[in-house]
Each structure stands twice: as structure tokens, then as C-alpha cells.
Amino acid sequence: MLSDRYHIFLNVIFIAFACGMNIDYLSSSARHCWKRFEGHGLDPARPLEAFSGYYLNSFKETQDFQLHGSEMICFLNGTHVLRLVNNAYATANNTPWRIAFNPRFVNNTILFMRLLKTRFRMLSLPKLLFRITTSDSGIPLKTSARMCLHPSGIDFSLCQGSVVLPVHDNQRVDRMSEYIRKAVSEMGTEWERKRKVAYWRGGNHPPHHSSLRNRLVHLAINSSLLDARFGAYSWDKFIECKIILAVDGYGHFSNIIKRALLSGSVVARVDHKVGTGEWFEPFLIPYHNFLPIRFDLSNLQDVVQWAIENDEASRMIARNAFLTFYRLFEEEFMLCYGLLTIEHWSHRQQFERGTVENFEKTAVLTTKL
């Protein structure tokens, strides 16, 4: 079973590298970043290919901005729009559905852009117009709230996740640097002494009986393989176990997954109901650096059982996760990821005539970066 999965994994990697991607359009700094990724065994095309699946090849005008062309950029279906142009940025908030304005997300995005400019000594950033989220929720609360009206009737949620940047509070460069500093000291229990269970603790979010977290907790009641409950937790309890469960709450991310990937335990990642997840998740490779769990949890017990019975393979998966994400969460790689992302999508973005003018009419802030 394991050998088959590794065989598939190796074939996928070979195909990805063999096909390659033309990077001539990138700046010298971005090409250097590309080579840095490859030099550490990381394929920089993975997130670009993963998130591009949420592009709409054609769509009709939105209620607030007339974006049209070969593709459209949007970040987590947010209610605010950010425009980068030359040495400045502008934001606008003129959408058909609204969530209470939370300036942290805008400020975190601007801070990240400033770090990019400083690190790579850029006179200006690539031009880009994209949406930014103002809440933890990546999809609108009302099904009628549609920003992207596709001729074929594709749902609004398909417009999520094309530009995914590490700008949430628990993703910022300084936060990830803190996780890395603590990673070695938090390795905790030696592998042989870790408990042979899949462990999870957290809040009841969202609090209804059919939610993913509720289903997980109920499933654990009659299982000797699962230790999952609601409530406050101590990180020491997580790293005493061989398997750590990463489960979405309100948003499309698990608050513990970043620390878990550096913990020396195996991460069992429950799939997202919608979307691709956080910026680093395209680098998750099944049975190489994490264990994949279906959203309906139908394979959870089987995967946990496999991990416990194949102890050395599980240990290697945990080791691969540490080696991959210890590097990926470093400031240099996070900023390289950001540079590659905005250059790539800036190169591909097209606007109808009048789009920028419409944006300027609704802009509420313009500031030098």
C-alpha cells in the first residue's frame, strides 16, 4: 500500500518537473527565488498551478467592478479590493455584500508588500488588482452574495483563492519566525514514547451538530484510535501523540497546522469543504509529508490505523514535514513566495477599459508603499 503511494508520488513529481514552466517573464529577483525553491527540493510551480484552478476563464460584470479578460484575480472572496500600482496602493470597499470592516487584514497585506520591496530592493511592485478578505471566512455567508457571475452558472465560491498571501494574523512573517524558533525546543516526546492515537482539541466552531468538528468529536467517542474533544488545550498534549489532526473551523484553515507540521508528529489534514486552503498547503504531498483525510471523515479511522501499523513510514512522514516546512516558513522563502505570486498574476491579469477608473472612483485610501 505504501509503496504504491510513493510510486504515485514520484511519478507526479517527475511529471511536474518534466513539464516545467516558462519563467522568462519574471524579474531577476523572482527567478533567483524560483531557483532557491528548486535548490531545496521545493517546486515553486505547485501553488501557482493549485490556486489557478479558481480562475474563471470568462465571466460577466460584477456589481462593483467591471473586470473582464482572460482571467480574474481574487483573494479569498474578501469584501475589500487592493490595488498595487507603481509606488502606491489604494483600497476600496464597494461590494454587494458586506462584513464588518477589519483593518488588520488590509494592514497586514500592506506590511507584507513593504517587506517585499525592502528585501528585493524594488523601486515599485508589479501592478495588481485583487480582493482581500476581511474575516476568517473565505466564502460569503449568504448564497445570494455572488461577486463572479459565470455564464455557465458556476457558484461564487469557485472564485476563491487565486492570490493567496500569508497575511492573516497567524500567518505573518514574524509569527512564522516565532514558530520556527520554538520548533526545536517543542519537539517534545521521542517518537517511540508518543501515544499511538490521533489527537485533537479545539473550539466548537461553527457550533452546529453537522459541522466538521462536531462529527469528528462524535466519531471519537467509540474509537480507541481517536482522542478528539472540545475545550482548551495544551500544546504539550498534542506533541505527546504520534498523529495530530488538523481540522478547519470557521475559515479555510486550521489554527494548529503550522505548528503541527514542525512538531515531529504526523499531521493528518482533513480536506477543505471548498477551496485549496492556506498559501503553503500546495506543498503538502500525501504520504510524503502529511496524511490526507477526506472532508466527510470516511477514511479517517483507516488512515490512522495504517499510520499506527506502519510506524517507520509514519516517522518518515513526520520528518519530511519538518524538513519541508521548517525551510518554507523562513522569512526568505515566505517573501520569495510572495514575490513569485504577485509577479505571476500581475503578468496574467487583464482589465477592460475603465476598470482602473472605476476603482479610483471608489478608492478610500491611497498611500505610498
Side-chain angles (χ1 to χ4, degrees):
M1 182 178 184
L2 177 64
S3 60
D4 290 340
R5 282 167 170 153
Y6 273 119
H7 180 69
I8 293 171
F9 157 66
L10 291 173
N11 282 336
V12 170
I13 294 299
F14 173 77
I15 291 170
F17 277 98
C19 293
M21 180 179 286
N22 185 356
I23 61 172
D24 292 342
Y25 65 89
L26 296 176
S27 67
S28 59
S29 293
R31 288 197 298 271
H32 174 74
C33 283
W34 190 281
K35 292 177 182 177
R36 288 282 291 164
F37 272 87
E38 290 183 331
H40 288 278
L42 299 170
D43 181 4
R46 289 185 69 89
L48 303 180
E49 293 166 352
F51 295 132
S52 67
Y54 293 93
Y55 262 56
L56 301 181
N57 291 326
S58 62
F59 66 100
K60 298 177 182 179
E61 70 176 44
T62 62
Q63 296 184 43
D64 53 335
F65 296 102
Q66 295 184 359
L67 296 176
H68 191 68
S70 62
E71 282 146 350
M72 181 191 116
I73 303 273
C74 49
F75 173 62
L76 285 181
N77 299 334
T79 60
H80 284 69
V81 175
L82 181 72
R83 180 186 175 215
L84 304 176
V85 55
N86 298 326
N87 295 317
Y89 69 89
T91 64
N93 181 24
N94 184 25
T95 59
W97 59 278
R98 296 175 182 272
I99 300 176
F101 176 58
N102 190 333
R104 292 198 325 272
F105 296 92
V106 176
N107 293 339
N108 288 348
T109 305
I110 299 309
L111 175 61
F112 186 74
M113 297 301 176
R114 285 175 174 157
L115 285 173
L116 286 180
K117 282 194 67 179
T118 301
R119 170 57 65 91
F120 299 110
R121 299 192 177 108
M122 303 167 70
L123 295 177
S124 62
L125 290 166
K127 294 181 180 180
L128 192 64
L129 180 64
F130 61 99
R131 301 191 182 283
I132 56 176
T133 185
T134 56
S135 79
D136 286 349
S137 180
I139 54 178
L141 301 180
K142 297 181 180 179
T143 56
S144 61
R146 297 190 177 186
M147 304 290 289
C148 305
L149 306 178
H150 194 277
S152 65
I154 294 179
D155 186 75
F156 163 55
S157 61
L158 289 181
C159 189
Q160 128 185 325
S162 291
V163 176
V164 179
L165 298 173
V167 296
H168 193 279
D169 284 345
N170 68 3
Q171 300 170 338
R172 295 193 321 253
V173 171
D174 58 335
R175 179 64 59 85
M176 302 315 300
S177 297
E178 179 184 343
Y179 285 161
I180 289 176
R181 285 195 300 269
K182 292 182 177 180
V184 175
S185 62
E186 288 184 340
M187 291 297 280
T189 309
E190 294 180 1
W191 179 261
E192 291 77 9
R193 297 171 57 193
K194 288 177 180 284
R195 294 175 59 204
K196 296 181 180 181
V197 295
Y199 189 87
W200 181 84
R201 291 291 187 276
N204 186 10
H205 305 143
H208 57 79
H209 71 279
S210 62
S211 72
L212 174 60
R213 293 186 173 187
N214 256 297
R215 287 187 284 118
L216 171 63
V217 169
H218 283 290
L219 189 62
I221 292 175
N222 298 315
S223 173
S224 61
L225 302 174
L226 307 176
D227 185 350
R229 304 174 195 170
F230 292 124
Y233 64 83
S234 164
W235 188 245
D236 290 340
K237 296 297 183 181
F238 274 93
I239 58 181
E240 288 176 358
C241 302
K242 290 196 172 185
I243 305 166
I244 296 176
L245 291 167
V247 187
D248 288 347
Y250 283 115
H252 293 271
F253 62 87
S254 162
N255 194 44
I256 65 168
I257 186 172
K258 292 172 284 295
R259 294 177 73 184
L261 289 166
L262 301 173
S263 68
S265 297
V266 181
V267 174
R269 180 49 162 133
V270 180
D271 200 7
H272 308 283
K273 182 177 182 180
V274 178
T276 309
E278 296 185 72
W279 67 274
F280 58 87
E281 291 196 51
F283 294 100
L284 289 169
I285 301 172
Y287 291 93
H288 174 68
N289 52 30
F290 88 112
L291 299 174
I293 307 298
R294 299 188 193 111
F295 178 76
D296 63 5
L297 305 179
S298 60
N299 68 333
L300 175 58
Q301 303 239 38
D302 288 342
V303 171
V304 172
Q305 183 71 51
W306 176 90
I308 292 173
E309 292 176 353
N310 294 271
D311 191 69
E312 187 57 31
S314 297
R315 183 174 186 168
M316 287 300 298
I317 293 171
R319 179 178 179 275
N320 290 338
F322 179 85
L323 293 176
T324 298
F325 293 97
Y326 186 92
R327 179 68 66 189
L328 197 59
F329 293 157
E330 289 179 339
E331 179 175 335
E332 176 187 3
F333 276 83
M334 290 182 68
L335 294 178
C336 270
Y337 167 87
L339 180 64
L340 288 169
T341 298
I342 64 172
E343 283 202 16
H344 179 75
W345 298 129
S346 174
H347 175 74
R348 301 186 69 179
Q349 189 172 41
Q350 298 181 19
F351 300 118
E352 273 189 343
R353 182 182 303 172
T355 297
V356 174
E357 288 79 0
N358 289 339
F359 177 87
E360 298 295 351
K361 289 178 183 178
T362 57
V364 295
L365 178 65
T366 302
T367 307
K368 292 290 183 182
L369 275 171

